[in-house]
Amino acid sequence: MLQLHSQLLPPLSQVQVLQLTETMAKDMTLLWGSGSPPCWRIMIVLEEKNLQGYNQKLLSFEKMEHKSKEVMDMNPRGQLPSFKHKNYVLNDSYAACMYLESQFSQGNKLIPDCPAEQALMYQRMFECPDFHQKMATVIYYNWKVPEAERHDSAVKRNREALTAEIKLWEGYLEKASGPFVAGKNFSLADVMFFPSVAYLYRFGFCEARYPKLAAYYNSLKDRPSIKATWPPTWLESPQGQDLLKGI
Ligand SMILES: N[C@@H](CCC(=O)N[C@@H](CS)C(=O)NCC(=O)O)C(=O)O
């Protein structure tokens, strides 16, 4: 991958850097859905790496556009995000974000060099699917489980599992050495974690009960990369559902 600051070449001007990053972004295509945390992760990384100007298409889950031929051709799982750089397909948000960070040196560095910081970053980053899964199990219970198969005991168990998971993260944030989930610097761990945290609040999670989580959410929601990629459907209708009230 082209290094922007090669020692053999004179330094590039701001305008040249912008032109180069624009050219790189033109080789990228993202098919995405509004409000989807995995889609949001890739969009945050693209902003952090100054890769604006990529080809993108907003598709509707309601209209089942994630099962359209255009998506299925790129992603046989029929899921969003579907992403490619040149002809390299990276449909999984973790794969795409790690690839972008390793291939593009410009913009913000999202994996720290310090071994201790890096270890914590990877640990938190790969714990995020646990958090996300437990939240999704509660939110999508009625949608996923047919009426005849629903049980109050399962709802209770799922909510308890989510509560325990949230307590774990509240504790992590309490012990963190900085404002980010893996310490002093914004990293891929935040890229993975923040969209799921925002999803919690979108679904009626109470800010007062977990002050560290609320502070984390409120401090990051105005970060430029996050603000620029805020789900458009959430902007259109700021009031979400209250499925997580009482958690
Ligand atoms: N592991 C994938 C998960 C992607 C995913 O679950 N996408 C959801 C939207 S958030 C989707 O497309 N669901 C529709 C379906 O599975 O049919 C990633 O992290 O990118």
Side-chain angles (χ1 to χ4, degrees), residues 4 20 46 51 60-61 67 82-83 93 105 123 126-127 137-138 146 165 171 190 193-194 202 211 218 229 236 238 245:
L4 290 181
L20 261 177
L46 289 166
L51 288 164
S60 158
F61 288 110
K67 303 296 180 198
S82 296
F83 176 75
S93 59
S105 55
Q123 179 57 36
F126 284 97
E127 280 182 84
T137 304
V138 171
E165 184 72 27
D190 299 289
F193 187 51
F194 181 84
R202 177 73 185 166
N218 285 309
T229 54
E236 283 155 23
K245 225 170 145 183

Side-chain angles (χ1 to χ4, degrees), residues 35-39 41-42 61 66-67 77-81 91-94 132:
S36 150
C39 297
R41 293 169 185 154
I42 300 180
F61 288 110
H66 53 296
K67 303 296 180 198
R77 291 182 186 273
Q79 290 187 326
L80 301 175
N91 292 325
D92 183 83
S93 59
Y94 273 66
H132 191 81

Side-chain angles (χ1 to χ4, degrees), residues 112-200:
D113 286 330
C114 159
E117 287 176 23
Q118 195 180 105
L120 183 63
M121 188 223 69
Y122 279 125
Q123 179 57 36
R124 293 291 173 265
M125 173 177 168
F126 284 97
E127 280 182 84
C128 289
D130 280 309
F131 173 76
H132 191 81
Q133 193 48 50
K134 283 175 185 148
M135 176 176 67
T137 304
V138 171
I139 292 175
Y140 293 118
Y141 186 78
N142 281 355
W143 189 64
K144 290 238 160 126
V145 182
E147 201 165 350
E149 293 167 33
R150 291 179 205 155
H151 296 286
D152 289 347
S153 58
V155 170
K156 184 168 173 284
R157 202 170 43 246
N158 292 341
R159 288 175 77 90
E160 283 169 0
L162 176 59
T163 302
E165 184 72 27
I166 289 169
K167 284 187 176 153
L168 203 59
W169 289 88
E170 180 76 2
Y172 290 161
L173 289 169
E174 215 166 281
K175 287 191 213 93
S177 62
F180 302 104
V181 75
K184 292 190 282 292
N185 298 303
F186 183 85
S187 69
L188 282 186
D190 299 289
V191 168
M192 304 309 162
F193 187 51
F194 181 84
S196 300
V197 173
Y199 214 74
L200 272 187

Side-chain angles (χ1 to χ4, degrees), residues 18-126:
L18 276 177
Q19 282 168 344
L20 261 177
T21 52
E22 229 169 71
T23 311
M24 289 166 178
K26 286 215 166 71
D27 284 342
M28 295 176 189
T29 300
L30 176 68
L31 307 179
W32 62 289
S34 177
S36 150
C39 297
W40 199 357
R41 293 169 185 154
I42 300 180
M43 297 171 92
I44 294 171
V45 170
L46 289 166
E47 290 290 322
E48 294 283 338
K49 305 308 283 178
N50 293 332
L51 288 164
Q52 292 94 348
Y54 51 92
N55 303 298
Q56 54 162 305
K57 193 163 183 185
L58 172 59
L59 298 175
S60 158
F61 288 110
E62 286 71 33
K63 293 183 191 157
M64 296 299 286
E65 287 173 347
H66 53 296
K67 303 296 180 198
S68 62
K69 184 175 181 311
E70 184 179 17
V71 175
M72 298 303 284
D73 283 349
M74 198 154 133
N75 183 352
R77 291 182 186 273
Q79 290 187 326
L80 301 175
S82 296
F83 176 75
K84 66 178 176 189
H85 175 220
K86 298 179 179 166
N87 57 354
Y88 317 139
V89 173
L90 295 133
N91 292 325
D92 183 83
S93 59
Y94 273 66
C97 292
M98 293 185 75
Y99 170 84
L100 290 169
E101 172 60 12
S102 84
Q103 295 299 314
F104 295 93
S105 55
Q106 79 265 17
N108 292 326
K109 192 170 164 56
L110 299 172
I111 299 180
D113 286 330
C114 159
E117 287 176 23
Q118 195 180 105
L120 183 63
M121 188 223 69
Y122 279 125
Q123 179 57 36
R124 293 291 173 265
M125 173 177 168
F126 284 97

